[in-house]
């Protein structure tokens, strides 16, 4: 798993993982308000992905490359 920490995670954030075609691959809700979260990447095939981290006040897009 890939581990990422962000200020966005501590406010009931939602994490969406999209493939290069824009299809939603995974949706994770951070209901425990963790400030660090392990993304489940073992089921992802090699390629380019976008991870959207969204809470009530902000949104951040993170590029993710699986080799």
């Amino acid at each position: 798993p890939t581990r990422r920490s962000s200020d966005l995670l501590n406010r009931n954030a939602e994490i969406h993982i999209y493939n290069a075609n824009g299809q939603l691959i995974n949706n994770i809700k951070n209901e425990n308000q963790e400030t660090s979260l392990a993304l489940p990447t073992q089921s992802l095939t090699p390629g380019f992905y976008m991870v959207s981290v969204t809470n009530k006040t902000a949104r951040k897009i993170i590029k993710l490359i699986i080799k």
Side-chain angles (χ1 to χ4, degrees):
T2 299
R3 201 149 185 80
R4 228 20 227 254
S5 180
S6 174
D7 291 340
L8 292 173
L9 291 178
N10 62 2
R11 297 182 195 102
N12 290 325
E14 287 194 29
I15 296 93
H16 298 89
I17 302 174
Y18 298 93
N19 67 13
N21 296 323
Q23 288 180 296
L24 179 63
I25 302 298
N26 201 345
N27 182 27
I28 303 164
K29 291 186 179 184
N30 186 27
E31 295 172 343
N32 296 328
Q33 299 186 1
E34 299 292 330
T35 57
S36 180
L37 186 68
L39 296 176
T41 58
Q42 60 272 26
S43 64
L44 299 177
T45 58
F48 173 78
Y49 296 87
M50 291 178 294
V51 179
S52 172
V53 181
T54 308
N55 65 26
K56 292 180 181 179
T57 60
R59 178 177 169 183
K60 183 170 184 169
I61 304 293
I62 302 165
K63 296 176 188 174
L64 175 65
I65 298 174
I66 303 294
K67 294 183 179 184

